[in-house]
Amino acid sequence: MLKAPTVSAPPDPRLPAVGTAIVRPYKGRSVSVIVQDDGFEHDGQHFNTLSAVAKHVSGSHVNGFRFFRLESNPGQESKR
């Protein structure tokens, strides 16, 4: 039986290249995340998603792209 090739999802275009540090101020401190090919590193811990990092830092669920200000259309207000 033939085995289908493994296909990985393309990287999200909102993310910077692997190895890049994403840094933002939060409540008087600097939060730094390193983009890895299999997730994100923050304070020596591995996280699968930016949202998981944002929840770890903030204590509540928040969109990781929004928390780290990596939304696809920065500077544009959402239309309601």
Side-chain angles (χ1 to χ4, degrees):
M1 182 182 288
L2 290 175
K3 191 173 185 180
T6 303
V7 178
S8 60
D12 192 303
R14 296 172 289 182
L15 286 176
V18 170
T20 302
I22 303 169
V23 182
R24 74 152 282 192
Y26 180 74
K27 292 192 175 183
R29 67 183 185 129
S30 181
V31 177
S32 178
V33 173
I34 305 296
V35 179
Q36 299 179 331
D37 59 357
D38 63 345
F40 305 89
E41 181 183 329
H42 168 68
D43 282 347
Q45 295 182 357
H46 180 267
F47 295 87
N48 291 326
T49 65
L50 276 177
S51 292
V53 178
K55 183 175 183 178
H56 176 77
V57 170
S58 70
S60 61
H61 180 74
V62 62
N63 181 292
F65 288 103
R66 182 167 290 158
F67 182 83
F68 287 100
R69 300 175 180 143
L70 296 175
E71 294 178 297
S72 59
N73 295 318
Q76 290 186 356
E77 293 293 320
S78 61
K79 295 177 182 173
R80 295 181 189 201

